[in-house]
Amino acid sequence: MKKLFLTPIAMAISIIASFPAHADELSDLKTQIQSLSERLANIEKERARPAPAATTPAQSAQTDQPTPVTIAYPPSMQLLSGDNTLSLYGIVDMTFATQSNANAAGKRGSAPVVSWMSGNRFGINASHVLDKQSGLGIIARLENEFELPTGNLDTNNVLFNRDAWIGLQSDDLGKITFGRQNTLPRDFAQTWGEAFGSREVGLDEGGWNNNNQMQYMINYAGGANGTRYNSAVVWKKKSGAWVTGLAHQFNGAGSIVAGDITTGTSSAAALAYNGGKWNVNGTYSTANVAGYAHKVAGLGGNVEVTPGIVLRGGYFNNRTDQAVVGQRKDDVLTTSITFMPASMSRYQFDLGYYNIHAKNAGYAASGNTLGVNSDTSAVTTAADGKMSTFYAAAFYRWDRQADAYIALDKVNTDGGFKYGFTNGFHTATELGVGLRYKF
């Protein structure tokens, strides 16, 4: 509208300015009118010029021109200024669940629970360009987790229990990070360890679902501190379709432990091939838990069978030293299928199954079978046993930020495998419905 308004004014001024001056008193007026006409013409030219394309952080690293401050589109809000980037993000996930055999009397329980699909979180990503020519930058992440039913921190008295790290990143270097972060096998095996991970391995941390029996496989991708490292260094590098990774946790204590450089340590190596339609990766990790060795190897992948159908599967092999009873051996198989029908673009359907065959698995003082990353220094009794779980889920997605879901899982144990979740029974079933929002 402004352009349509300026154009006739400019035309009128040009006509007036073209009249010959017949008196000296009109000379100054004619000069002023000609000057105004030129200014209006320049304004129209500026308005007709196309808007400049938005500058990305990568582009700003290659030029001396500062990046304009802007807020990017959700689900993360990004503040860009010169060589600095600051991203604010979070997830709020509500789950209402019901469980059979929820206590030793076999009673059912129903309530809002710790979220199933995503841990509730608030986080900050930050980066700063150090060298514009190579693209080398310093990076950092701080991320906490809270429980929606109560608002409590997921880990008492720990503000950033999910992530607290700093590092360096460039195409030539890859990504190297120091601090608290995901275990390396966790970031690779999430592409096949359950139905809900990404198809390919990247340099960022990989997600699993949060607090249900569907994601039990994550424990075989852990280390001495569980499924996250403390006091660790992790390196990943992408070279074409290949992604390599190395990791080491020093002692997990966050401080010097005099005279002991092995207890509490974890080390891992991983290699992935992202083939597009099919993707495969392998991991190997060792951990020293209270002086006893834990070793896990994993191999798996996924394939797009047809558009909208993805099949995943893999295998974990665990060997854990234990006091008194000797070594524990686990053989674990998992498979899942995801169906996203083209005619129902907002929907996703998942089915999955895993089976754990544990030989000579030690018992905790409670009488339950110890978890794969647990301290085995006090084990005195053990047994062979199996645990298997079938699960299913369906999602309805309004957009990339918001979805609703319904999910169920059924756990079965056999032989000497005693699982605390089933409260002394050989089976338990969960059903949950949820609402999730990413910002």
Side-chain angles (χ1 to χ4, degrees), residues 55-57 60-61 63-69 79-85 127-129 132:
T55 305
T56 67
S60 69
T63 176
D64 291 330
Q65 296 300 318
T67 304
V69 176
L79 180 66
L80 308 175
S81 180
D83 297 331
N84 301 292
T85 303
S127 65
H128 173 69
V129 177
K132 298 183 189 309

Side-chain angles (χ1 to χ4, degrees), residues 35-251:
S35 175
L36 180 59
S37 177
E38 291 173 0
R39 292 177 60 188
L40 289 172
N42 289 334
I43 291 173
E44 287 199 41
K45 288 179 182 179
E46 288 297 322
R47 292 187 177 278
R49 184 177 300 171
T55 305
T56 67
Q59 290 170 334
S60 69
Q62 300 169 3
T63 176
D64 291 330
Q65 296 300 318
T67 304
V69 176
T70 184
I71 298 297
Y73 292 106
S76 68
M77 292 180 289
Q78 197 170 69
L79 180 66
L80 308 175
S81 180
D83 297 331
N84 301 292
T85 303
L86 184 69
S87 300
L88 308 177
Y89 63 92
I91 300 177
V92 180
D93 185 357
M94 179 282 300
T95 306
F96 186 92
T98 180
Q99 177 191 335
S100 66
N101 294 329
N103 63 13
K107 300 293 185 181
R108 175 172 294 279
S110 303
V113 296
V114 175
S115 56
W116 274 18
M117 290 300 165
S118 299
N120 287 283
R121 72 197 68 172
F122 180 79
I124 302 169
N125 280 323
S127 65
H128 173 69
V129 177
L130 297 175
D131 182 74
K132 298 183 189 309
Q133 194 167 26
S134 67
L136 178 67
I138 189 167
I139 54 176
R141 175 176 293 172
L142 301 173
E143 183 176 300
N144 80 344
E145 183 170 349
F146 59 93
E147 298 176 356
L148 190 66
T150 61
N152 293 335
L153 290 174
D154 182 69
T155 305
N156 288 336
N157 301 316
V158 179
L159 182 57
F160 298 115
N161 69 316
R162 293 183 64 91
D163 286 286
W165 51 256
I166 189 171
L168 297 168
Q169 183 172 0
S170 73
D171 289 341
D172 292 335
L173 172 67
K175 178 182 179 182
I176 184 168
T177 49
F178 307 87
R180 179 168 172 82
Q181 55 201 298
N182 282 1
T183 60
L184 182 69
R186 170 180 176 166
D187 289 344
F188 279 64
Q190 56 87 22
T191 64
W192 55 268
E194 62 171 19
F196 314 108
S198 65
R199 293 280 322 281
E200 298 184 350
V201 173
L203 299 186
D204 203 3
E205 292 181 311
W208 295 61
N209 67 76
N210 189 49
N211 192 58
N212 50 60
Q213 304 313 306
M214 295 178 280
Q215 53 88 254
Y216 192 88
M217 292 296 93
I218 193 175
N219 297 298
Y220 288 90
N225 274 88
T227 60
R228 289 187 174 88
Y229 294 134
N230 282 336
S231 306
V233 54
V234 176
W235 171 79
K236 301 174 190 171
K237 181 174 174 60
K238 189 171 184 178
S239 302
W242 295 92
V243 181
T244 53
L246 296 171
H248 181 72
Q249 171 179 291
F250 287 88
N251 58 31

